[in-house]
Amino acid sequence: MDHTALQAVRSLSIHADYRCRHSGACCTADWDVPVEVPVYRSLDEAWRSGRLHVAPQSRALDPFLVEPDLPDGAGAMLERNQAGECVFFERESRLCVVHRDLGHEALPATCRHFPRLAVHDARGTFVSLSHYCPTAAGLLFREDVDLAIVLSPPAFPPADYEGLAVTADDLPPLLRPGVVMDLDAYSRWEAHMVRRCAEAATPESVLASLERDAARVRAWTAAGPPMAALVDSLPQRPVDAAAPTALAASLAAFAQTMAAVPDDLRLLPDEHSLEDVFTRLVAPQWTTWSGPLRRYLAAKAFASWTAYQGRGLLSIVRGLQVALALVRVEAARGCRDAGRALDRELLLGAFRQADFILNHLAVGEDLAGEWSKAEAR
Ligand code: SF4
C-alpha cells in the first residue's frame, strides 16, 4: 500500500464526526470476534494476572475460545454468554471492559474498526459505516450538514482501516463488462452518485436518475469524449420517479439477497402480512423520510465495494436499488411488529437490519455477482 495514498482519507460529511456512543449493539450481537495472536497473548496475560476481568454477568466463563479452525492470524475467538453478549461487555455500564481498563489499542481489530467499512485503493482510503450500529444509523437523520464527500474527516485519522484493499494487481472499477474505468473518471462518478443523493427529491428519483446516468456513461467508446468528460456532462436535472405502492418487487430483491447469505446464517422467512402493512403503514409515510433514505443511498454509493467486485456501473446502481428494497421490507416488518405507522425509530431499525444483512450476513462477492446481472440489460 502506498503510504501517501493511505494518508488521504475521505468519508461522507454525515459520518465525518462519528464516535462510539456505547450502544453495545455490536458487543451483544452474538458475533464471532477473532482475536489476533499478539492481541490474544497480551489479553490472556492481562486476564491471568488479574489486570483484566470478564463482565459480572459472564464471570463463570473463560474469555477465550481456542479452536482448531480459527481464522487466519487469530489466536482465539472471544467467548459469548448465553445472551449472545461478549464476555467483556459490561451490561450495567454498557462499556467494554477491555477498552475501559486497557485502552482502545488493546482491543481485537474487529472491535477497533467496527462499524467502519473501508476501501483502500490507489486514490487513498474511503471510510463508510455499517448502519447496523445504531449511532451510525442515527447520523442518517441529521440535517445539520450538507451531504458531500469530505477529505480528512476528524473521526477517521489516517490508519490501516479494515476493509477492501485494492492492490496494483487488481483491476480498477469496470465501466461495463470488459471495459475498465480510469480512477479519475470513477472518482467523478462516485461524487456524482453522492451529489444525486443530495439533490434529488426522493430516493426513487436518485435511483432512476443514476440508472439513466450509468447507461449514458457506459456507452463510452474510445472514439468519443473521455470518460471523465462524459460524467461531467450528465444532465443536472434528475429523473422524477414515484415511490412504489406495493412491496412485491422489494420482497423479490430481499429473497435474492438471502440467496447470498450462508445457510447457517440465513434468516427464517417472516413475511406474514407485509404487503398489507406496507400499503397501510409504510407507503403513506415514506416520502416524509426522503432525507434519511437519500443519505442511506449515499452511504451505499460511497466507498462502494461493488465498484471493484461487480462488473460495471449498472451493478453499483442495482446494489443501491436492492439496499432500498431491503429498507422497505424491514420498515414493513418493523411497522407490523410495532403495530404503528413508519416513524423515526422504526426507520432507524430498518436501516440497521438492512445493513446487518448486507454488511454482516451476505457474502459481498455473491451479492456483487447477482447485481452484475444488471449489466446484461
Ligand atoms: S472486546 Fe469489547 S468491544 Fe469487542 S466485542 Fe467484546 S465488549 Fe465489544
Side-chain angles (χ1 to χ4, degrees):
M1 178 75 50
D2 172 0
H3 193 66
T4 318
L6 190 66
Q7 299 298 312
V9 181
R10 290 175 177 79
S11 78
L12 288 182
S13 51
I14 55 171
H15 290 158
D17 54 0
Y18 167 84
R19 75 186 166 88
C20 174
R21 303 218 179 254
H22 308 290
S23 72
C26 51
C27 308
T28 58
D30 205 12
W31 275 339
D32 287 338
V33 177
V35 190
E36 301 73 26
V37 172
V39 178
Y40 166 55
R41 285 206 189 106
S42 71
L43 289 182
D44 190 49
E45 190 278 319
W47 176 60
R48 288 181 192 283
S49 66
R51 290 188 297 119
L52 176 66
H53 301 279
V54 297
Q57 75 273 12
S58 302
R59 275 275 147 80
L61 298 169
D62 281 358
F64 305 108
L65 283 171
V66 181
E67 303 164 325
D69 52 351
L70 291 167
D72 284 350
M77 306 295 282
L78 289 180
E79 177 63 287
R80 282 110 60 177
N81 63 22
Q82 283 204 327
E85 299 163 329
C86 169
V87 289
F88 291 121
F89 176 71
E90 203 175 71
R91 202 179 287 165
E92 222 160 74
S93 64
R94 305 197 73 70
L95 292 178
C96 163
V97 179
V98 177
H99 194 175
R100 184 192 65 197
D101 295 352
L102 302 180
H104 184 256
E105 293 311 311
L107 289 166
T110 301
C111 308
R112 268 184 285 126
H113 293 296
F114 183 86
R116 298 155 186 82
L117 301 167
V119 174
H120 309 278
D121 65 21
R123 302 171 299 160
T125 297
F126 298 73
V127 182
S128 191
L129 298 177
S130 164
H131 303 97
Y132 176 63
C133 166
T135 305
L139 298 176
L140 298 172
F141 293 82
R142 65 191 299 184
E143 304 274 358
D144 60 325
V145 286
D146 291 337
L147 180 60
I149 298 171
V150 296
L151 183 63
S152 304
F156 312 118
D160 200 1
Y161 294 102
E162 274 194 346
L164 185 72
V166 181
T167 70
D169 295 333
D170 295 317
L171 282 179
L174 293 181
L175 176 71
R176 59 178 189 259
V179 180
V180 297
M181 294 186 87
D182 63 80
L183 282 178
D184 177 43
Y186 182 69
S187 286
R188 286 164 197 250
W189 170 253
E190 186 175 42
H192 173 78
M193 288 194 290
V194 172
R195 214 165 27 245
R196 280 278 182 240
C197 295
E199 293 173 0
T202 66
E204 287 76 19
S205 170
V206 169
L207 295 177
S209 305
L210 289 178
E211 199 166 8
R212 173 199 63 187
D213 298 344
R216 290 194 182 195
V217 179
R218 79 198 288 279
W220 172 87
T221 64
M227 269 180 215
L230 268 185
V231 178
D232 290 347
S233 66
L234 286 167
Q236 286 216 321
R237 199 180 152 73
V239 177
D240 292 331
T245 52
L247 196 60
S250 298
L251 285 170
F254 187 91
Q256 265 177 2
T257 305
M258 275 300 131
V261 175
D263 291 348
D264 57 329
L265 298 177
R266 194 164 297 151
L267 305 174
L268 294 174
D270 175 21
E271 296 183 358
H272 174 63
S273 60
L274 289 191
E275 266 291 4
D276 170 58
V277 169
F278 181 77
T279 311
R280 287 189 301 108
L281 301 179
V282 178
Q285 306 300 323
W286 188 251
T287 50
T288 311
W289 302 105
S290 281
L293 291 162
R294 287 185 291 104
R295 289 180 207 107
Y296 179 69
L297 288 179
K300 309 314 282 180
F302 173 74
S304 167
W305 291 33
T306 314
Y308 286 100
Q309 294 174 330
R311 304 192 67 213
L313 298 188
L314 283 176
S315 315
I316 300 174
V317 176
R318 178 62 190 154
L320 302 184
Q321 291 167 340
V322 170
L324 190 64
L326 262 57
V327 173
R328 285 192 201 100
V329 171
E330 294 302 340
R333 233 190 297 273
C335 290
R336 180 198 63 189
D337 295 348
R340 65 177 197 269
L342 187 65
D343 57 19
R344 184 188 191 282
E345 183 189 343
L346 294 174
L347 182 59
L348 188 140
F351 288 137
R352 290 192 63 212
Q353 187 61 16
D355 265 11
F356 181 61
I357 295 167
L358 290 170
N359 296 328
H360 306 295
L361 294 184
V363 177
E365 289 91 344
D366 293 355
L367 288 177
E370 176 61 37
W371 299 341
S372 294
K373 291 177 184 167
E375 304 293 340
R377 267 186 272 151

